[in-house]
Coordinates of all heavy atoms in Angstrom, one line a residue:
M169 N -23.9 -36.0 5.1 CA -22.5 -35.7 5.2 C -22.1 -34.5 4.3 O -21.3 -33.7 4.7 CB -21.7 -37.0 4.7 CG -20.4 -37.3 5.3 SD -20.2 -37.0 7.0 CE -19.5 -38.6 7.4
D170 N -22.7 -34.4 3.1 CA -22.3 -33.3 2.2 C -22.8 -31.9 2.8 O -22.1 -30.9 2.7 CB -23.0 -33.5 0.9 CG -22.3 -34.6 0.1 OD1 -21.1 -34.8 0.3 OD2 -22.9 -35.2 -0.8
A171 N -23.9 -31.9 3.5 CA -24.4 -30.7 4.1 C -23.5 -30.2 5.2 O -23.3 -29.0 5.3 CB -25.8 -30.9 4.6
A172 N -23.0 -31.1 6.0 CA -22.0 -30.7 7.0 C -20.7 -30.1 6.4 O -20.2 -29.2 6.9 CB -21.7 -31.9 7.9
G173 N -20.2 -30.7 5.4 CA -19.0 -30.2 4.7 C -19.3 -28.8 4.1 O -18.4 -27.9 4.2
I174 N -20.4 -28.6 3.5 CA -20.8 -27.3 2.9 C -20.9 -26.3 4.0 O -20.4 -25.2 3.9 CB -22.0 -27.4 2.0 CG1 -21.7 -28.2 0.8 CG2 -22.5 -26.0 1.7 CD1 -23.0 -28.6 0.0
A175 N -21.6 -26.6 5.1 CA -21.7 -25.7 6.2 C -20.4 -25.3 6.8 O -20.1 -24.2 7.2 CB -22.7 -26.3 7.3
T176 N -19.5 -26.3 7.0 CA -18.2 -26.1 7.5 C -17.4 -25.1 6.6 O -16.7 -24.2 7.0 CB -17.4 -27.4 7.7 OG1 -18.1 -28.2 8.6 CG2 -16.0 -27.1 8.2
A177 N -17.5 -25.4 5.3 CA -16.8 -24.5 4.3 C -17.3 -23.1 4.3 O -16.5 -22.1 4.3 CB -16.9 -25.1 2.9
V178 N -18.6 -22.9 4.4 CA -19.2 -21.6 4.5 C -18.8 -20.9 5.8 O -18.4 -19.7 5.8 CB -20.7 -21.7 4.4 CG1 -21.4 -20.3 4.7 CG2 -21.1 -22.1 3.0
A179 N -18.8 -21.6 6.9 CA -18.4 -21.0 8.2 C -16.9 -20.6 8.1 O -16.5 -19.5 8.6 CB -18.6 -22.0 9.3
L180 N -16.0 -21.4 7.6 CA -14.6 -21.1 7.5 C -14.4 -19.9 6.5 O -13.6 -19.0 6.8 CB -13.8 -22.3 7.0 CG -13.6 -23.4 8.1 CD1 -12.9 -24.6 7.4 CD2 -12.8 -22.9 9.2
G181 N -15.2 -19.9 5.4 CA -15.1 -18.8 4.5 C -15.5 -17.5 5.2 O -14.9 -16.4 5.0
F182 N -16.6 -17.5 5.9 CA -17.0 -16.3 6.6 C -16.0 -15.9 7.7 O -15.7 -14.7 7.8 CB -18.4 -16.6 7.3 CG -18.9 -15.4 8.0 CD1 -19.4 -14.3 7.4 CD2 -18.8 -15.3 9.4 CE1 -19.9 -13.2 8.1 CE2 -19.3 -14.2 10.1 CZ -19.8 -13.1 9.4
A183 N -15.5 -16.8 8.4 CA -14.5 -16.5 9.4 C -13.3 -15.8 8.8 O -12.7 -14.8 9.3 CB -14.1 -17.7 10.2
F184 N -12.8 -16.4 7.7 CA -11.6 -15.8 7.0 C -11.9 -14.4 6.5 O -11.2 -13.5 6.7 CB -11.2 -16.7 5.8 CG -10.0 -16.1 5.1 CD1 -8.8 -16.1 5.6 CD2 -10.3 -15.5 3.8 CE1 -7.7 -15.5 4.9 CE2 -9.2 -15.0 3.1 CZ -7.9 -15.0 3.6
F185 N -13.1 -14.2 5.9 CA -13.5 -12.9 5.4 C -13.6 -11.9 6.6 O -13.2 -10.7 6.4 CB -14.9 -13.0 4.7 CG -15.4 -11.7 4.2 CD1 -14.9 -11.1 3.1 CD2 -16.4 -11.0 4.9 CE1 -15.3 -9.9 2.6 CE2 -16.9 -9.8 4.4 CZ -16.3 -9.2 3.3
A186 N -14.2 -12.3 7.7 CA -14.3 -11.4 8.9 C -12.9 -11.0 9.4 O -12.7 -9.8 9.7 CB -15.1 -12.1 10.0
W187 N -12.0 -12.0 9.4 CA -10.7 -11.7 9.9 C -10.0 -10.7 8.9 O -9.4 -9.7 9.3 CB -9.8 -12.9 10.0 CG -8.4 -12.6 10.2 CD1 -7.8 -12.3 11.3 CD2 -7.3 -12.6 9.1 NE1 -6.4 -12.1 11.1 CE2 -6.1 -12.2 9.8 CE3 -7.3 -12.8 7.8 CZ2 -4.9 -12.1 9.1 CZ3 -6.1 -12.7 7.1 CH2 -5.0 -12.4 7.8
W188 N -10.2 -11.0 7.6 CA -9.5 -10.2 6.6 C -10.0 -8.7 6.6 O -9.3 -7.8 6.5 CB -9.7 -10.8 5.2 CG -8.9 -10.2 4.1 CD1 -9.4 -9.2 3.2 CD2 -7.6 -10.3 3.8 NE1 -8.3 -8.8 2.4 CE2 -7.2 -9.5 2.8 CE3 -6.6 -11.1 4.4 CZ2 -5.9 -9.5 2.2 CZ3 -5.3 -11.1 3.9 CH2 -5.0 -10.3 2.8
L189 N -11.3 -8.6 6.7 CA -12.0 -7.3 6.6 C -12.0 -6.5 7.9 O -11.7 -5.3 7.9 CB -13.4 -7.4 6.1 CG -14.2 -6.2 5.8 CD1 -13.5 -5.4 4.6 CD2 -15.6 -6.5 5.4
L190 N -12.2 -7.2 9.0 CA -12.4 -6.5 10.3 C -11.3 -6.5 11.3 O -10.9 -5.6 12.0 CB -13.7 -7.0 11.0 CG -15.0 -6.8 10.1 CD1 -16.1 -7.5 10.9 CD2 -15.3 -5.4 9.8
L191 N -10.6 -7.7 11.4 CA -9.7 -7.9 12.4 C -8.2 -7.6 12.0 O -7.3 -7.4 12.8 CB -9.8 -9.3 13.0 CG -11.2 -9.6 13.6 CD1 -11.2 -11.1 14.0 CD2 -11.5 -8.7 14.7
R192 N -8.0 -7.7 10.7 CA -6.6 -7.6 10.2 C -6.1 -6.1 10.2 O -5.0 -5.8 10.3 CB -6.6 -8.2 8.8 CG -5.2 -8.0 8.1 CD -5.2 -8.7 6.7 NE -4.0 -8.6 6.1 CZ -3.6 -7.5 5.3 NH1 -4.5 -6.6 5.0 NH2 -2.4 -7.5 4.7
V193 N -7.1 -5.2 10.0 CA -6.7 -3.8 9.9 C -6.1 -3.2 11.1 O -6.4 -3.6 12.2 CB -8.0 -2.9 9.5 CG1 -8.5 -3.4 8.1 CG2 -9.0 -3.0 10.6
R194 N -5.1 -2.4 10.9 CA -4.4 -1.7 12.0 C -3.7 -0.4 11.5 O -3.5 -0.3 10.3 CB -3.5 -2.6 12.8 CG -2.2 -3.0 12.0 CD -1.3 -3.9 12.9 NE -0.1 -4.2 12.2 CZ 0.1 -5.1 11.3 NH1 -0.8 -5.9 11.0 NH2 1.3 -5.2 10.8
L195 N -3.4 0.4 12.4 CA -2.7 1.6 12.1 C -1.5 1.7 13.1 O -1.7 1.7 14.3 CB -3.6 2.8 12.3 CG -3.0 4.2 12.1 CD1 -2.4 4.4 10.7 CD2 -4.0 5.3 12.4
E196 N -0.3 1.9 12.6 CA 0.9 2.1 13.4 C 1.5 3.4 13.1 O 1.8 3.8 12.0 CB 1.9 1.0 13.1 CG 1.4 -0.4 13.4 CD 2.4 -1.5 12.9 OE1 3.5 -1.2 12.6 OE2 2.0 -2.7 12.8
L197 N 1.7 4.2 14.2 CA 2.4 5.5 14.1 C 3.7 5.4 14.7 O 3.8 5.3 16.0 CB 1.5 6.6 14.7 CG 0.1 6.7 14.2 CD1 -0.7 7.7 15.0 CD2 0.1 7.1 12.7
T198 N 4.8 5.5 13.9 CA 6.1 5.5 14.5 C 6.7 6.9 14.4 O 6.0 7.8 13.8 CB 7.0 4.5 13.8 OG1 7.3 4.9 12.5 CG2 6.5 3.1 13.8
T199 N 7.9 7.2 14.8 CA 8.4 8.5 14.7 C 8.7 8.9 13.3 O 8.7 10.1 13.0 CB 9.7 8.6 15.6 OG1 10.6 7.6 15.2 CG2 9.4 8.5 17.1
D200 N 9.0 7.9 12.4 CA 9.3 8.2 11.0 C 8.2 7.9 10.0 O 8.2 8.5 8.9 CB 10.6 7.4 10.6 CG 11.8 7.8 11.5 OD1 11.9 8.9 11.9 OD2 12.6 6.9 11.7
T201 N 7.3 6.9 10.4 CA 6.5 6.3 9.4 C 5.1 6.1 9.9 O 4.9 5.8 11.1 CB 7.1 4.9 8.9 OG1 8.4 5.1 8.6 CG2 6.3 4.4 7.7
V202 N 4.1 6.2 9.0 CA 2.7 5.8 9.2 C 2.5 4.4 8.5 O 2.8 4.4 7.3 CB 1.7 6.8 8.7 CG1 0.3 6.3 8.9 CG2 2.0 8.1 9.3
V203 N 2.1 3.4 9.2 CA 1.9 2.1 8.5 C 0.4 1.8 8.6 O -0.1 1.7 9.7 CB 2.7 1.0 9.2 CG1 2.4 -0.4 8.5 CG2 4.2 1.3 9.1
M204 N -0.3 1.7 7.5 CA -1.7 1.4 7.4 C -1.9 0.0 6.8 O -1.6 -0.2 5.7 CB -2.4 2.4 6.5 CG -2.4 3.8 7.1 SD -2.8 5.1 5.8 CE -1.2 5.4 5.2
V205 N -2.4 -0.9 7.6 CA -2.7 -2.2 7.2 C -4.2 -2.3 6.9 O -5.0 -2.2 7.9 CB -2.3 -3.3 8.1 CG1 -2.7 -4.7 7.6 CG2 -0.8 -3.3 8.4
N206 N -4.6 -2.3 5.7 CA -6.0 -2.3 5.3 C -6.4 -3.6 4.7 O -5.5 -4.5 4.4 CB -6.3 -1.2 4.2 CG -6.1 0.2 4.8 OD1 -6.5 0.4 6.0 ND2 -5.5 1.1 4.1
P207 N -7.7 -3.9 4.5 CA -8.1 -5.2 4.0 C -7.4 -5.6 2.6 O -7.2 -6.7 2.4 CB -9.6 -5.0 3.8 CG -10.0 -4.0 4.7 CD -8.9 -3.1 4.8
W208 N -7.1 -4.6 1.8 CA -6.6 -4.9 0.5 C -5.2 -4.5 0.3 O -4.7 -4.6 -0.8 CB -7.5 -4.2 -0.6 CG -8.9 -4.4 -0.2 CD1 -9.8 -3.3 0.0 CD2 -9.7 -5.6 0.0 NE1 -11.0 -3.8 0.3 CE2 -11.0 -5.2 0.3 CE3 -9.4 -6.9 -0.1 CZ2 -12.0 -6.1 0.6 CZ3 -10.4 -7.8 0.2 CH2 -11.6 -7.4 0.5
G209 N -4.5 -4.2 1.4 CA -3.0 -3.9 1.2 C -2.5 -3.1 2.4 O -3.2 -2.7 3.3
T210 N -1.2 -3.0 2.4 CA -0.4 -2.2 3.4 C 0.3 -1.0 2.7 O 0.9 -1.2 1.7 CB 0.6 -3.1 4.1 OG1 -0.1 -4.2 4.7 CG2 1.4 -2.4 5.1
Q211 N 0.1 0.1 3.3 CA 0.8 1.3 2.9 C 1.7 1.8 4.0 O 1.3 1.8 5.1 CB -0.2 2.5 2.5 CG -1.0 2.2 1.3 CD -2.3 1.4 1.7 OE1 -2.8 1.5 2.8 NE2 -2.8 0.7 0.7
R212 N 2.9 2.2 3.5 CA 3.9 2.8 4.4 C 4.1 4.2 3.9 O 4.5 4.4 2.8 CB 5.2 2.0 4.5 CG 5.1 0.7 5.2 CD 6.3 -0.1 5.2 NE 6.2 -1.3 6.0 CZ 5.5 -2.4 5.7 NH1 4.8 -2.4 4.6 NH2 5.4 -3.4 6.5
L213 N 3.9 5.2 4.8 CA 4.0 6.6 4.4 C 4.9 7.3 5.4 O 4.7 7.3 6.6 CB 2.6 7.1 4.5 CG 2.3 8.5 3.9 CD1 2.7 8.6 2.5 CD2 0.9 8.9 4.1
A214 N 5.9 7.9 4.9 CA 6.8 8.7 5.7 C 6.1 10.0 6.2 O 5.4 10.6 5.4 CB 8.1 9.1 4.9
W215 N 6.3 10.3 7.4 CA 5.7 11.6 8.0 C 6.1 12.8 7.1 O 5.4 13.7 7.1 CB 6.1 11.8 9.4 CG 5.3 11.0 10.4 CD1 5.7 9.9 11.1 CD2 3.9 11.2 10.7 NE1 4.7 9.4 11.9 CE2 3.6 10.2 11.7 CE3 3.0 12.1 10.3 CZ2 2.3 10.1 12.2 CZ3 1.7 12.0 10.8 CH2 1.3 11.0 11.7
S216 N 7.3 12.8 6.6 CA 7.8 13.9 5.8 C 6.9 14.1 4.6 O 6.9 15.2 4.0 CB 9.3 13.7 5.4 OG 9.4 12.5 4.6
R217 N 6.2 13.1 4.1 CA 5.3 13.3 3.0 C 3.9 13.8 3.4 O 3.1 14.2 2.5 CB 5.1 12.0 2.2 CG 6.4 11.5 1.6 CD 6.3 10.3 0.7 NE 5.2 10.4 -0.2 CZ 4.4 9.4 -0.7 NH1 4.7 8.2 -0.3 NH2 3.4 9.6 -1.5
V218 N 3.5 13.7 4.6 CA 2.2 14.0 5.1 C 2.0 15.5 5.3 O 2.8 16.2 5.9 CB 1.8 13.3 6.4 CG1 0.5 13.6 7.0 CG2 2.0 11.8 6.2
S219 N 0.9 16.0 4.7 CA 0.5 17.4 4.9 C -0.6 17.7 5.9 O -0.7 18.7 6.5 CB 0.2 18.1 3.5 OG -0.9 17.5 3.0
A220 N -1.5 16.7 6.0 CA -2.7 16.9 6.9 C -3.3 15.5 7.2 O -3.1 14.5 6.4 CB -3.7 17.8 6.3
V221 N -4.0 15.4 8.3 CA -4.8 14.2 8.6 C -6.2 14.7 8.9 O -6.5 15.6 9.7 CB -4.2 13.5 9.9 CG1 -5.0 12.3 10.2 CG2 -2.7 13.2 9.6
T222 N -7.2 14.0 8.3 CA -8.6 14.3 8.5 C -9.3 12.9 8.8 O -8.8 11.9 8.6 CB -9.3 14.9 7.3 OG1 -9.1 14.1 6.1 CG2 -8.6 16.3 7.0
F223 N -10.6 13.1 9.2 CA -11.4 11.9 9.6 C -12.5 11.8 8.5 O -13.3 12.7 8.3 CB -12.0 12.1 10.9 CG -12.6 10.8 11.5 CD1 -11.9 9.6 11.5 CD2 -13.9 10.8 11.9 CE1 -12.5 8.5 12.0 CE2 -14.5 9.6 12.4 CZ -13.8 8.5 12.5
G224 N -12.5 10.7 7.7 CA -13.5 10.5 6.7 C -14.4 9.4 7.0 O -14.4 8.8 8.1
N225 N -15.3 9.1 6.1 CA -16.3 8.0 6.3 C -15.6 6.6 6.5 O -16.2 5.8 7.1 CB -17.2 7.9 5.1 CG -18.2 9.1 5.0 OD1 -18.4 9.8 6.0 ND2 -18.7 9.4 3.9
W226 N -14.5 6.4 5.9 CA -13.8 5.1 5.9 C -12.7 5.1 6.9 O -11.9 4.1 6.9 CB -13.4 4.7 4.5 CG -14.7 4.4 3.7 CD1 -15.2 5.2 2.7 CD2 -15.5 3.3 3.8 NE1 -16.3 4.7 2.2 CE2 -16.6 3.5 2.8 CE3 -15.6 2.2 4.6 CZ2 -17.6 2.6 2.7 CZ3 -16.6 1.3 4.4 CH2 -17.6 1.5 3.5
G227 N -12.4 6.1 7.6 CA -11.3 6.1 8.6 C -10.5 7.4 8.5 O -10.8 8.4 7.9
A228 N -9.3 7.3 9.1 CA -8.4 8.5 9.1 C -7.8 8.6 7.7 O -7.4 7.6 7.1 CB -7.3 8.3 10.1
R229 N -7.8 9.8 7.2 CA -7.2 10.1 5.8 C -6.0 10.9 6.0 O -6.0 12.0 6.6 CB -8.3 10.8 5.0 CG -9.5 10.0 4.8 CD -10.6 10.8 4.2 NE -10.1 11.5 3.1 CZ -10.7 11.6 1.9 NH1 -11.8 10.9 1.7 NH2 -10.2 12.2 0.9
F230 N -4.9 10.3 5.4 CA -3.6 11.0 5.4 C -3.4 11.6 4.1 O -3.3 10.9 3.1 CB -2.5 10.0 5.8 CG -2.5 9.5 7.2 CD1 -3.4 8.4 7.5 CD2 -1.8 10.1 8.2 CE1 -3.5 8.0 8.8 CE2 -1.8 9.6 9.5 CZ -2.7 8.5 9.8
H231 N -3.3 13.0 4.1 CA -3.1 13.7 2.8 C -1.6 14.0 2.6 O -0.9 14.4 3.6 CB -3.9 15.0 2.9 CG -5.3 14.9 3.2 ND1 -6.3 14.7 2.2 CD2 -6.0 14.8 4.3 CE1 -7.5 14.6 2.7 NE2 -7.3 14.6 4.0
T232 N -1.1 13.8 1.4 CA 0.3 14.0 1.2 C 0.5 15.3 0.5 O -0.4 15.9 -0.1 CB 0.9 12.8 0.3 OG1 0.2 12.8 -0.9 CG2 0.7 11.5 1.0
K233 N 1.8 15.7 0.5 CA 2.1 17.0 -0.1 C 2.0 17.0 -1.6 O 1.8 18.0 -2.2 CB 3.6 17.4 0.3 CG 3.7 17.6 1.8 CD 5.1 17.8 2.2 CE 5.1 18.0 3.7 NZ 6.5 18.1 4.2
D234 N 2.0 15.8 -2.2 CA 1.9 15.7 -3.7 C 0.4 15.4 -4.1 O 0.1 15.2 -5.3 CB 2.8 14.6 -4.3 CG 2.5 13.2 -3.6 OD1 1.6 13.1 -2.8 OD2 3.3 12.3 -4.0
G235 N -0.5 15.6 -3.2 CA -2.0 15.5 -3.5 C -2.7 14.2 -3.4 O -3.8 14.1 -3.6
F236 N -2.0 13.2 -3.0 CA -2.6 11.9 -2.8 C -3.2 11.7 -1.4 O -2.7 12.4 -0.5 CB -1.6 10.7 -3.0 CG -1.2 10.6 -4.5 CD1 0.0 11.2 -4.9 CD2 -1.9 9.8 -5.3 CE1 0.3 11.0 -6.3 CE2 -1.6 9.7 -6.6 CZ -0.4 10.3 -7.1
T237 N -4.1 10.8 -1.3 CA -4.8 10.6 0.0 C -4.7 9.1 0.3 O -5.1 8.3 -0.6 CB -6.2 11.1 0.0 OG1 -6.2 12.5 -0.3 CG2 -6.9 10.9 1.4
Y238 N -4.4 8.7 1.5 CA -4.3 7.3 2.0 C -5.3 7.2 3.1 O -5.2 8.0 4.1 CB -2.9 7.0 2.4 CG -1.9 7.0 1.3 CD1 -1.3 8.2 0.9 CD2 -1.6 5.9 0.5 CE1 -0.4 8.3 -0.1 CE2 -0.7 6.0 -0.6 CZ -0.1 7.2 -0.8 OH 0.8 7.3 -1.9
T239 N -6.1 6.2 3.1 CA -7.1 6.0 4.2 C -6.7 4.8 5.1 O -6.3 3.7 4.6 CB -8.5 5.7 3.6 OG1 -8.8 6.8 2.8 CG2 -9.5 5.6 4.7
A240 N -6.7 5.0 6.4 CA -6.5 4.0 7.4 C -7.8 3.4 7.8 O -8.5 4.1 8.6 CB -5.6 4.5 8.5
Y241 N -8.2 2.3 7.3 CA -9.5 1.7 7.7 C -9.5 1.3 9.1 O -10.6 1.0 9.6 CB -9.8 0.5 6.8 CG -10.1 0.8 5.4 CD1 -9.0 1.0 4.4 CD2 -11.4 1.1 5.0 CE1 -9.3 1.3 3.1 CE2 -11.7 1.5 3.6 CZ -10.6 1.6 2.7 OH -10.9 2.0 1.5
A242 N -8.4 1.2 9.8 CA -8.4 0.8 11.2 C -9.2 1.8 12.1 O -9.7 1.5 13.2 CB -7.0 0.8 11.8
L243 N -9.5 3.0 11.6 CA -10.3 4.0 12.3 C -11.6 4.2 11.7 O -12.3 5.2 11.9 CB -9.5 5.3 12.4 CG -8.3 5.3 13.2 CD1 -7.6 6.7 13.3 CD2 -8.5 4.9 14.6
S244 N -12.1 3.2 10.9 CA -13.4 3.4 10.3 C -14.5 2.8 11.3 O -14.1 2.1 12.3 CB -13.5 2.6 9.0 OG -13.4 1.2 9.2
D245 N -15.7 3.0 11.0 CA -16.8 2.4 11.8 C -16.8 0.9 11.7 O -17.4 0.2 12.6 CB -18.2 2.9 11.4 CG -18.3 4.4 11.8 OD1 -17.6 4.8 12.7 OD2 -19.2 5.1 11.2
L246 N -16.2 0.3 10.6 CA -16.2 -1.1 10.5 C -15.2 -1.8 11.5 O -15.5 -2.9 12.0 CB -15.7 -1.5 9.1 CG -16.6 -1.2 7.9 CD1 -16.0 -1.5 6.6 CD2 -17.9 -2.0 8.1
A247 N -14.2 -1.1 11.9 CA -13.2 -1.6 12.8 C -13.8 -1.8 14.2 O -14.1 -0.8 14.8 CB -11.9 -0.8 12.8
A248 N -13.9 -3.0 14.6 CA -14.5 -3.3 16.0 C -16.0 -2.9 16.1 O -16.5 -3.0 17.2 CB -13.7 -2.6 17.1
G249 N -16.6 -2.4 15.0 CA -18.0 -2.1 15.0 C -18.4 -1.0 15.9 O -19.6 -0.8 16.3
V250 N -17.5 -0.1 16.3 CA -17.8 1.1 17.1 C -17.2 2.3 16.5 O -16.3 2.3 15.6 CB -17.2 0.9 18.5 CG1 -17.9 -0.2 19.3 CG2 -15.7 0.7 18.5
R251 N -17.8 3.5 16.8 CA -17.2 4.7 16.3 C -15.8 4.9 16.9 O -15.5 4.6 18.0 CB -18.1 5.9 16.7 CG -19.5 5.8 16.0 CD -20.2 7.0 15.9 NE -19.5 8.2 15.5 CZ -19.3 8.6 14.2 NH1 -19.7 7.8 13.3 NH2 -18.6 9.6 13.9
Q252 N -15.0 5.5 16.1 CA -13.6 5.7 16.5 C -13.2 7.1 16.7 O -12.0 7.5 16.5 CB -12.7 5.1 15.3 CG -13.1 3.6 15.0 CD -12.8 2.7 16.2 OE1 -11.8 2.9 17.0 NE2 -13.6 1.7 16.4
D253 N -14.1 8.0 17.1 CA -13.8 9.4 17.3 C -12.7 9.6 18.3 O -11.8 10.4 18.1 CB -15.1 10.1 17.8 CG -16.2 10.1 16.7 OD1 -15.8 9.9 15.5 OD2 -17.3 10.3 17.0
D254 N -12.8 8.9 19.4 CA -11.7 9.0 20.5 C -10.4 8.6 20.0 O -9.4 9.3 20.2 CB -12.1 8.3 21.7 CG -13.3 8.8 22.5 OD1 -13.6 10.0 22.2 OD2 -13.9 8.1 23.2
R255 N -10.3 7.5 19.2 CA -9.1 7.0 18.7 C -8.5 8.0 17.7 O -7.3 8.3 17.6 CB -9.2 5.6 18.1 CG -9.4 4.6 19.2 CD -9.4 3.2 18.6 NE -8.2 2.9 18.0 CZ -8.1 2.0 17.0 NH1 -9.1 1.4 16.5 NH2 -6.9 1.7 16.5
F256 N -9.4 8.6 16.8 CA -9.0 9.6 15.9 C -8.4 10.8 16.6 O -7.4 11.4 16.1 CB -10.1 10.0 14.9 CG -9.7 11.1 13.9 CD1 -8.8 10.7 12.9 CD2 -10.0 12.4 14.1 CE1 -8.3 11.7 12.0 CE2 -9.6 13.3 13.2 CZ -8.7 13.0 12.2
A257 N -9.0 11.2 17.7 CA -8.5 12.4 18.4 C -7.0 12.1 18.8 O -6.2 13.0 18.7 CB -9.3 12.7 19.6
D258 N -6.7 10.8 19.2 CA -5.4 10.5 19.6 C -4.4 10.6 18.4 O -3.3 11.1 18.5 CB -5.3 9.1 20.2 CG -6.0 9.0 21.6 OD1 -6.1 10.1 22.2 OD2 -6.3 7.9 22.0
V259 N -4.9 10.0 17.3 CA -4.1 10.0 16.0 C -3.9 11.5 15.6 O -2.8 11.8 15.2 CB -4.8 9.2 14.9 CG1 -4.1 9.4 13.6 CG2 -4.8 7.7 15.3
K260 N -4.9 12.3 15.6 CA -4.8 13.7 15.2 C -3.8 14.4 16.1 O -3.0 15.2 15.6 CB -6.1 14.3 15.3 CG -6.2 15.8 14.9 CD -6.1 15.9 13.4 CE -6.3 17.3 13.0 NZ -5.6 17.7 11.8
R261 N -3.8 14.1 17.4 CA -2.8 14.8 18.3 C -1.4 14.4 17.9 O -0.5 15.2 17.8 CB -3.1 14.4 19.8 CG -2.3 15.1 20.8 CD -2.6 14.7 22.2 NE -1.9 13.4 22.4 CZ -2.5 12.2 22.5 NH1 -3.8 12.1 22.5 NH2 -1.8 11.1 22.7
V262 N -1.2 13.1 17.7 CA 0.2 12.6 17.3 C 0.6 13.2 16.0 O 1.7 13.7 15.7 CB 0.2 11.1 17.3 CG1 1.5 10.6 16.6 CG2 0.1 10.5 18.7
A263 N -0.4 13.2 15.0 CA -0.1 13.7 13.7 C 0.3 15.2 13.7 O 1.2 15.7 13.1 CB -1.3 13.5 12.7
D264 N -0.5 16.0 14.5 CA -0.2 17.4 14.6 C 1.1 17.7 15.2 O 1.9 18.5 14.7 CB -1.3 18.1 15.4 CG -2.7 18.2 14.7 OD1 -2.7 18.0 13.5 OD2 -3.7 18.5 15.4
A265 N 1.5 16.9 16.2 CA 2.9 17.0 16.8 C 3.9 16.7 15.7 O 4.9 17.4 15.6 CB 3.0 16.1 18.0
Q266 N 3.7 15.6 15.0 CA 4.7 15.2 14.0 C 4.8 16.2 12.9 O 5.9 16.6 12.5 CB 4.3 13.8 13.4 CG 4.6 12.6 14.2 CD 6.1 12.3 14.2 OE1 6.9 12.8 13.5 NE2 6.4 11.4 15.1
L267 N 3.7 16.7 12.4 CA 3.7 17.7 11.4 C 4.3 19.0 11.8 O 5.1 19.7 11.1 CB 2.3 17.9 10.8 CG 1.7 16.7 10.2 CD1 0.3 17.0 9.7 CD2 2.5 16.2 9.0
R268 N 4.0 19.4 13.1 CA 4.6 20.7 13.6 C 6.1 20.6 13.8 O 6.9 21.4 13.5 CB 3.9 21.0 14.9 CG 4.4 22.3 15.6 CD 3.6 22.6 16.9 NE 3.8 21.5 17.8 CZ 2.7 20.7 18.2 NH1 1.5 20.9 17.7 NH2 2.9 19.7 19.1
D269 N 6.5 19.4 14.4 CA 8.0 19.2 14.7 C 8.8 19.0 13.4 O 10.0 19.3 13.3 CB 8.2 18.1 15.6 CG 7.6 18.3 17.0 OD1 7.4 19.5 17.3 OD2 7.4 17.4 17.8
G270 N 8.1 18.4 12.4 CA 8.8 18.0 11.1 C 9.0 19.2 10.1 O 9.7 19.1 9.2
Q271 N 8.3 20.3 10.4 CA 8.4 21.4 9.5 C 9.7 22.2 9.6 O 10.2 22.4 10.7 CB 7.2 22.4 9.7 CG 5.9 21.8 9.2 CD 4.8 22.8 9.5 OE1 4.9 23.8 10.1 NE2 3.6 22.4 9.0
T272 N 10.2 22.6 8.5 CA 11.5 23.4 8.6 C 11.1 24.8 8.3 O 10.2 25.1 7.5 CB 12.5 22.9 7.5 OG1 11.8 22.9 6.2 CG2 12.9 21.5 7.8
P273 N 11.7 25.8 9.0 CA 11.4 27.2 8.8 C 11.8 27.6 7.3 O 12.8 27.1 6.8 CB 12.3 27.9 9.8 CG 13.0 26.9 10.6 CD 12.7 25.5 10.0
L274 N 11.0 28.5 6.8 CA 11.2 29.0 5.4 C 12.1 30.2 5.5 O 12.2 30.9 6.3 CB 9.9 29.3 4.8 CG 8.9 28.2 4.5 CD1 7.6 28.7 3.9 CD2 9.5 27.2 3.6

């Protein structure tokens, strides 16, 4: 009886960890905001703060005008266990359009 309880607890723990690490992550691009839900927290970033978007080892990296970098793990190799190059191309296209449209002439 104790072995079955331990096995169940381990299985539930693994399932929760997998959900937390792999299935919970997402990236939402709205007209005003980038929402990154990562395993360890959620970041909301206004497009007006973004200066560039690159693809890093851990996903899409949003660089801000004040020098900070935020990573969206939803586009990492961990998310869904596949490479995310095509999805990053879509994000880059949206980001470039947002950055181009959001710039004010000097």
